[in-house]
Amino acid sequence: MINRYKENANIKIAAILFCLIPFITFPLLANNRYISKFSKPLTIISDTVPLKAKDKIKPKKNIADTLKHPDSIINRSDSLHDSIQVIKLDTTIFSKDSLDAPVTYAADDSGVLFIQSKEFILYGKANTNYKDLKLEANTIQYDQASNLVTAFGGTDTSKGALNLPTFTQGDQTSIMDTVRYNLKTQRGITINTYYKTGEMFVNAQKVKKVDKDVEFAYRGRFTTCNLDTPHFDLRAKKLKVINDKIAVSGPAIPEFEGVPIPIVIPFGIYPLVRGRHSGLLPPRFTTSDITGLGLEGLGFYKVLGPNWDTRIESDLYSYGGWRLQNTTEYLKRYKYRGSFRLSVQHTKQLNYDLYTLSKNEFNISNTYNIQWSHSSDSKARPGTNFSANVNMGSTQYNRYLTNNAYANFNNSLTSNISYNKTWGEGNNLNVSLNETQNSVTRLMNLNLPTVSFSTPTIYPFQRKDQPNNKWYQKLGIGYSGNLLNVISFYDSAFSFKKVLDTIQWGIDHRIPISLTLPPVGPLIFAPSISYEERWYAQKVNYAWNTKTNKVDTSLQKGFYAARQMSFGISMNTRIFGTFNFKNSKHIQALRHEIDPFIGLSYQPNMVSKFYQNVRVDSIGNIRRISQFPSNSVIAGFSEGRFGGLTFGINNLLEMKVRNKDTTGADSIKKVRLLDNLSITSGINLIPDSTNRETPISPISIRAGTNLFNKINISAGATVSPYMQDTAGHYHLMWKQGKIGSFTNGNLSISTSLKSKSKDKKTTEQQLADMGETLTPDEQQAQLQYMQENPGEFVDFKTDWSLQLSYSLSYNRYLSTNLINYISNLSTNINVNGTLALSPKWQIGGGFYFDPIHGKLQASNLFLTRDMHCWQMVIDVQVGLYKSLTITLNPKAGLLRDLRINKHFLQQ
């Protein structure tokens, strides 16, 4: 018996439970319980008898289409005026082999129901939905007896294949010629299948699905290229895929542009799981004249738990050198995060220095490096913070790194471990451990520990129950103290006993007393009293040695306290001025802000007993030298009394311009021309008559701006109006027509320019797209790798980019012979940029240049080719070592370790 129903074209058959059709219709017709003509809309209501949990089915809306008996000749239009007919069914007649979830379906053409064989067929762009399964095809056939679904596509004389079966489960989509699938067991087989799982695209002659998550493919091709005809693929006879976990293949042959490559991969393991998973880290092959053949990056990654993982990497070279590195990362959300890295390096490089008298064929050294970073979430323990940023080890470690040209010229290492605690109304305690290393001098300085403590300002005359209107009630007293311990030694001559002899400690106490007076018109007055006391564990004694004709120094242990006080009152105000441009369409006005201040202060001479007259040459010249020199744990106070004026001025200059892009309230915008320009100095009205003190204090100049939000400029200088002779006397240089002598100065200029990107995503967003499941620490590590290897992460959507920076620093200090002054000038130019030669080719590079010595410290040049799903990079680095690297690798993260890498290294 066949019951066929058909509507006009493109009328969907919807709102019905696929599993209810045979269970309701078959028993009714077979048992003749309801055999009247189905000419009226039908609503089915179940009995009050509860269904079993597995048999419960949600009721649907009225059936849109009328099921017609073959003998029915009732006029369709007449049924519209009849009342809705309701049938009450006994749920006990439902079949036990019904599905455990409703099935919805639709078709553009028609549907055919075979009652006796319990089959249902949909024609014309049919689709069915069952749980998370969705099937679309030209024709879909369902066999209720076996729960088997068969689907296949149609043909069109002009378009070829029409409405091929498309199977979707979760985030996996498959397109095939034919599919047979069991809804209950979720097992099936497909012919000529194309499907995507994760980043992998698979085309197989046959695919057998054995359960919900496991498939076997026969004669398959898989790739990460999303084109219909991929640029490359791997062809394997057998392939097993476990969804969102792993794919495993037997022997595979790579193909490029459809051409097989005579290389056989014995087997392949392709992780599909998102997030972290343990596994081997494949190596990179390198060749070098100084280290030999090598494998770099060989290692293993292990997930230790939900909050821990570790990575072990090694570099092996044929000449006998090696490097072993362990990196452990940890993260507990809303608590803390960090990473620890230990690297041990045994360097064995061929000696190319023909001018040395050494007979050693190889240069051999053993170095190590320790890096630790840790940060705690401020919400975990409010008021308490612990952080660490450690980078310590052998001072020559960076020098022997062969794959990082910029690290070879990093001469200093710094480390810091800090604990901070805040409580009460502003009490603060900070305990830190600091370490600095210099790879040139090989000097190491350890501050173990540095303790800082401060209290909030206390107002002793304030009363909580009364308003504080009296001027003396704003008198405040504060306290801050610092404890410092310093250990200095050379790592080339380390001795524990000598290290103990170099320990220095010192404590600095400060008690400021301030008073805030009511403003007098536009003027603000602020009296102040400051007391400071410094404690030392040793002092330096100087003596002229007539035999060697030089100054000898000796350390005297003990407890020494130096004190200093100052009294003063200061006045400051703010002055504004605006100049309007009435005839200008773009520039509207210039605004100038001036912040002057002047102060009157007195400071007695309380440290004369810690200054010593020292003979510095054979002529007999004498200098006053502090027994707490500037390189002490805490520098000593300046000698002499001061009574006079301190003054200064700060400037701010900005411009108002009209924004051509808008006409609303934001049509006028401010542009900073000068963020600050400050000049400070002072005059001592009671100087020492021996010309050993300077009446005019050094002039300090500071300036900074960010021109057009593109060019950052900062500068500073300290100019002394006096020149000190070998006898220690000061002479005013203004009398000679000179401004003075520079004590120190610095200048920094930087800018970053680039064309408009065709992709508006930022670097951080692009990084998130590359690894959306990476933790913040992993993203930061990936970002650092991108900065160190710019050729592998070129933005082809930017036509050009340019980064320029220039730095200059100058320092003048007294030499150790206490006679001459030493000037130290350093400058550096850094240039980086990229240029798109075509939409697929881009060239870039950068260099560090020292203009003083005329040396190119480090440089690199790379050429990148975008090959859609692959990328080629040719990178040249010149520095302490010269290297050429050619890398060809897929872009997809799934195959990020499948790369062709050729590395040449030379000293």
Side-chain angles (χ1 to χ4, degrees):
M1 183 184 298
I2 300 176
N3 187 6
R4 177 184 301 271
Y5 61 93
K6 183 178 296 184
E7 281 288 349
N8 294 331
N10 299 324
I11 302 299
K12 291 188 177 180
I13 306 169
I16 187 169
L17 298 177
F18 195 8
C19 57
L20 288 181
I21 293 176
F23 305 150
I24 297 173
T25 309
F26 300 162
L28 289 176
L29 298 178
N31 298 327
N32 293 322
R33 297 189 60 177
Y34 184 75
I35 56 176
S36 62
K37 299 171 182 179
F38 291 178
S39 60
K40 300 177 181 180
L42 182 64
T43 300
I44 302 174
I45 301 177
S46 64
D47 278 338
T48 57
V49 179
L51 295 173
K52 294 181 180 180
K54 65 179 182 178
D55 295 327
K56 286 185 178 180
I57 302 175
K58 297 181 180 180
K60 285 290 186 175
K61 295 181 180 179
N62 295 345
I63 299 178
D65 299 316
T66 305
L67 298 176
K68 296 182 180 181
H69 193 274
D71 299 333
S72 176
I73 56 173
I74 297 178
N75 191 338
R76 180 180 181 86
S77 62
D78 295 338
S79 65
L80 298 176
H81 303 285
D82 296 336
S83 60
I84 297 176
Q85 183 175 356
V86 177
I87 299 176
K88 201 170 186 180
L89 299 177
D90 186 357
T91 57
T92 58
I93 66 173
F94 279 39
S95 175
K96 294 182 179 180
D97 60 350
S98 62
L99 299 175
D100 59 352
V103 178
T104 61
Y105 62 90
D108 278 2
D109 185 77
S110 61
V112 179
L113 177 63
F114 297 89
I115 300 298
Q116 291 181 348
S117 60
K118 299 182 181 181
E119 293 182 66
F120 189 60
I121 304 176
L122 298 174
Y123 293 99
K125 292 186 179 179
N127 68 80
T128 62
N129 293 277
Y130 170 70
K131 291 185 177 180
D132 64 338
L133 307 178
K134 182 179 180 181
L135 178 61
E136 298 172 305
N138 189 68
T139 305
I140 299 178
Q141 178 182 351
Y142 173 63
D143 186 347
Q144 190 265 340
S146 60
N147 290 318
L148 190 64
V149 173
T150 303
F152 47 87
T155 58
D156 188 277
T157 56
S158 61
K159 298 181 180 179
L162 182 67
N163 300 329
L164 291 177
T166 302
F167 186 86
T168 304
Q169 183 175 21
D171 60 349
Q172 178 178 329
T173 301
S174 306
I175 301 176
M176 66 287 295
D177 290 348
T178 305
V179 58
R180 292 173 60 86
Y181 186 75
N182 191 297
L183 292 176
K184 268 200 167 184
T185 63
Q186 297 192 17
R187 302 179 64 182
I189 188 169
T190 62
I191 306 299
N192 192 20
T193 305
Y194 293 85
Y195 71 94
K196 178 179 182 293
T197 174
E199 293 180 299
M200 179 181 288
F201 298 88
V202 180
N203 170 226
Q205 197 176 96
K206 290 184 181 180
V207 174
K208 183 178 181 181
K209 190 175 182 67
V210 297
D211 59 31
K212 180 180 179 181
D213 298 317
V214 180
E215 297 119 5
F216 289 90
Y218 175 72
R219 294 193 181 278
R221 299 166 59 196
F222 47 97
T223 180
T224 57
C225 182
N226 59 0
L227 297 181
D228 293 338
T229 303
H231 290 115
F232 82 100
D233 60 62
L234 296 172
R235 184 184 292 272
K237 187 176 182 180
K238 296 180 180 179
L239 178 68
K240 179 180 179 180
V241 178
I242 303 177
N243 294 337
D244 294 331
K245 287 188 178 180
I246 196 173
V248 181
S249 73
I253 299 176
E255 291 183 353
F256 288 88
E257 300 290 350
V259 179
I261 304 298
I263 300 176
V264 178
I265 301 175
F267 63 92
I269 301 176
Y270 315 94
L272 304 177
V273 61
R274 294 181 179 272
R276 306 177 306 156
H277 54 276
S278 302
L280 293 172
L281 300 176
R284 302 179 301 273
F285 178 75
T286 65
T287 60
S288 169
D289 293 340
I290 59 176
T291 60
L293 302 177
L295 293 176
E296 296 181 346
L298 177 64
F300 186 80
Y301 173 79
K302 176 66 177 176
V303 177
L304 302 177
N307 302 323
W308 294 78
D309 59 33
T310 187
R311 182 172 68 252
I312 299 177
E313 297 175 282
S314 63
D315 299 340
L316 305 175
Y317 303 99
S318 60
Y319 287 171
W322 53 266
R323 185 174 72 95
L324 185 64
Q325 179 175 284
N326 174 248
T327 304
T328 301
E329 297 181 347
Y330 53 91
L331 167 67
K332 191 168 185 179
R333 187 169 295 180
Y334 308 121
K335 292 290 185 180
Y336 53 78
R337 66 178 54 183
S339 65
F340 180 84
R341 176 179 297 175
L342 173 63
S343 180
V344 180
Q345 186 172 245
H346 174 73
T347 305
K348 188 175 182 181
Q349 298 179 351
L350 190 64
N351 190 356
Y352 271 91
D353 191 357
L354 301 178
Y355 299 98
T356 182
L357 297 179
S358 175
K359 297 182 180 179
N360 296 328
E361 183 180 2
F362 294 96
N363 294 323
I364 301 175
S365 66
N366 296 309
T367 55
Y368 72 94
N369 181 260
I370 298 174
Q371 296 183 22
W372 177 37
S373 64
H374 177 92
S375 62
S376 58
D377 197 312
S378 58
K379 296 183 287 295
R381 297 184 63 185
T384 303
N385 181 59
F386 177 78
S387 63
N389 188 5
V390 176
N391 185 9
M392 63 176 297
S394 303
T395 55
Q396 299 297 304
Y397 176 83
N398 284 342
R399 175 181 175 84
Y400 293 113
L401 287 176
T402 59
N403 52 8
N404 195 330
Y406 295 102
N408 297 148
F409 292 92
N410 185 10
N411 296 326
S412 62
L413 300 177
T414 60
S415 302
N416 176 268
I417 302 175
S418 176
Y419 171 82
N420 185 270
K421 173 70 175 178
T422 302
W423 72 96
E425 297 182 356
N427 299 295
N428 183 270
L429 174 66
N430 184 275
V431 181
S432 63
L433 291 79
N434 302 281
E435 183 257 358
T436 60
Q437 298 177 233
N438 189 296
S439 60
V440 177
T441 61
R442 307 192 72 170
L443 177 65
M444 301 182 67
N445 293 314
L446 304 177
N447 296 339
L448 305 172
T450 298
V451 182
S452 301
F453 174 74
S454 63
T455 62
T457 303
I458 301 172
Y459 299 93
F461 301 109
Q462 282 189 357
R463 296 184 179 180
K464 295 183 180 181
D465 55 346
Q466 295 181 2
N468 302 308
N469 297 326
K470 305 296 183 181
W471 64 269
Y472 59 85
Q473 292 178 330
K474 297 183 179 180
L475 179 68
I477 303 175
Y479 171 79
S480 64
N482 294 289
L483 167 66
L484 293 91
N485 291 273
V486 178
I487 302 175
S488 300
F489 61 91
Y490 292 93
D491 68 343
S492 58
F494 178 80
S495 172
F496 187 74
K497 182 178 179 181
K498 293 181 179 180
V499 168
L500 293 179
D501 292 338
T502 64
I503 295 178
Q504 302 181 57
W505 64 266
I507 301 177
D508 182 19
H509 306 273
R510 298 189 182 192
I511 303 177
I513 302 174
S514 60
L515 177 63
T516 303
L517 298 177
V520 180
L523 304 179
I524 299 176
F525 293 88
S528 64
I529 301 175
S530 177
Y531 174 79
E532 186 174 359
E533 183 170 328
R534 298 175 181 175
W535 296 348
Y536 301 88
Q538 63 184 22
K539 67 177 182 179
V540 181
N541 292 321
Y542 304 91
W544 175 256
N545 191 327
T546 56
K547 295 182 179 180
T548 59
N549 286 331
K550 67 176 184 177
V551 178
D552 291 338
T553 59
S554 61
L555 297 178
Q556 183 177 344
K557 302 288 185 177
F559 176 79
Y560 307 97
R563 302 170 181 87
Q564 188 68 275
M565 288 191 68
S566 64
F567 310 86
I569 183 172
S570 64
M571 182 273 295
N572 65 83
T573 186
R574 301 176 70 183
I575 303 172
F576 302 91
T578 302
F579 180 79
N580 296 312
F581 294 86
K582 297 181 180 180
N583 299 324
S584 176
K585 296 182 179 180
H586 184 58
I587 302 176
Q588 301 298 304
L590 282 176
R591 181 176 177 273
H592 187 200
E593 179 182 336
I594 303 175
D595 301 332
F597 74 90
I598 187 171
L600 178 64
S601 63
Y602 172 75
Q603 177 180 293
N605 186 4
M606 303 175 64
V607 294
S608 296
K609 61 180 180 179
F610 296 114
Y611 274 77
Q612 184 178 352
N613 291 325
V614 181
R615 179 182 173 182
V616 296
D617 55 25
S618 57
I619 301 176
N621 289 319
I622 304 297
R623 280 184 181 271
R624 292 283 291 176
I625 305 297
S626 173
Q627 293 184 298
F628 307 121
S630 58
N631 59 353
S632 299
V633 59
I634 301 176
F637 293 111
S638 299
E639 187 184 22
R641 62 178 182 173
F642 180 89
L645 300 175
T646 56
F647 49 85
I649 187 173
N650 187 37
N651 296 268
L652 172 66
L653 184 63
E654 59 185 7
M655 179 174 57
K656 291 184 178 181
V657 297
R658 183 177 298 277
N659 191 352
K660 297 180 180 179
D661 298 333
T662 60
T663 58
D666 57 347
S667 61
I668 303 297
K669 64 178 182 179
K670 295 181 180 180
V671 177
R672 286 283 183 95
L673 299 179
L674 189 64
D675 290 335
N676 69 83
L677 173 60
S678 62
I679 303 174
T680 59
S681 185
I683 299 177
N684 189 0
L685 302 178
I686 52 173
D688 189 357
S689 59
T690 60
N691 286 334
R692 295 184 182 274
E693 298 178 4
T694 58
I696 302 176
S697 301
I699 302 171
S700 178
I701 304 172
R702 297 291 180 268
T705 185
N706 185 9
L707 290 178
F708 314 110
N709 292 325
K710 292 293 184 182
I711 305 176
N712 293 290
I713 303 176
S714 62
T718 302
V719 181
S720 175
Y722 297 89
M723 176 63 73
Q724 189 179 23
D725 58 19
T726 55
H729 297 148
Y730 290 95
H731 304 278
L732 186 63
M733 300 184 68
W734 294 352
K735 296 180 179 180
Q736 305 174 11
K738 298 180 180 179
I739 298 176
S741 60
F742 279 92
T743 304
N744 58 72
N746 63 83
L747 173 64
S748 176
I749 304 174
S750 64
T751 184
S752 179
L753 306 172
K754 67 177 182 179
S755 63
K756 290 184 178 180
S757 177
K758 302 172 186 177
D759 187 354
K760 296 182 179 180
K761 291 183 179 180
T762 62
T763 302
E764 289 75 13
Q765 291 172 332
Q766 294 175 4
L767 180 61
D769 292 342
M770 292 171 54
E772 55 186 12
T773 59
L774 296 179
T775 64
D777 285 340
E778 290 172 335
Q779 290 187 11
Q780 188 64 31
Q782 182 76 352
L783 186 60
Q784 181 179 356
Y785 180 81
M786 291 170 62
Q787 294 172 348
E788 294 176 354
N789 302 271
E792 297 184 22
F793 301 92
V794 171
D795 183 9
F796 285 94
K797 296 180 180 179
T798 301
D799 292 333
W800 59 270
S801 65
L802 180 64
Q803 297 84 39
L804 301 172
S805 66
Y806 173 77
S807 63
L808 181 145
S809 63
Y810 171 78
N811 188 28
R812 182 173 178 268
Y813 57 93
L814 186 64
S815 66
T816 55
N817 62 14
L818 305 178
I819 301 176
N820 303 318
Y821 280 88
I822 298 176
S823 297
N824 183 19
L825 177 65
S826 62
T827 183
N828 190 281
I829 298 175
N830 182 20
V831 178
N832 289 281
T834 60
L835 176 63
L837 303 177
S838 71
K840 299 297 183 181
W841 283 96
Q842 194 164 98
I843 189 173
F847 61 87
Y848 285 101
F849 181 71
D850 185 357
I852 296 179
H853 301 92
K855 291 183 178 179
L856 192 65
Q857 296 180 342
S859 63
N860 76 301
L861 179 68
F862 61 84
L863 182 65
T864 302
R865 172 69 163 90
D866 182 7
M867 304 169 66
H868 183 257
C869 49
W870 283 66
Q871 182 168 296
M872 181 186 69
V873 180
I874 303 175
D875 183 59
V876 179
Q877 294 192 13
V878 179
L880 186 62
Y881 304 96
K882 302 177 182 66
S883 66
L884 169 63
T885 305
I886 303 175
T887 304
L888 182 65
N889 64 287
K891 291 182 179 180
L894 174 66
L895 301 176
R896 68 181 63 183
D897 295 322
L898 179 62
R899 61 172 59 195
I900 302 173
N901 184 284
K902 188 67 175 177
H903 183 74
F904 303 92
L905 182 67
Q906 186 177 4
Q907 192 172 20

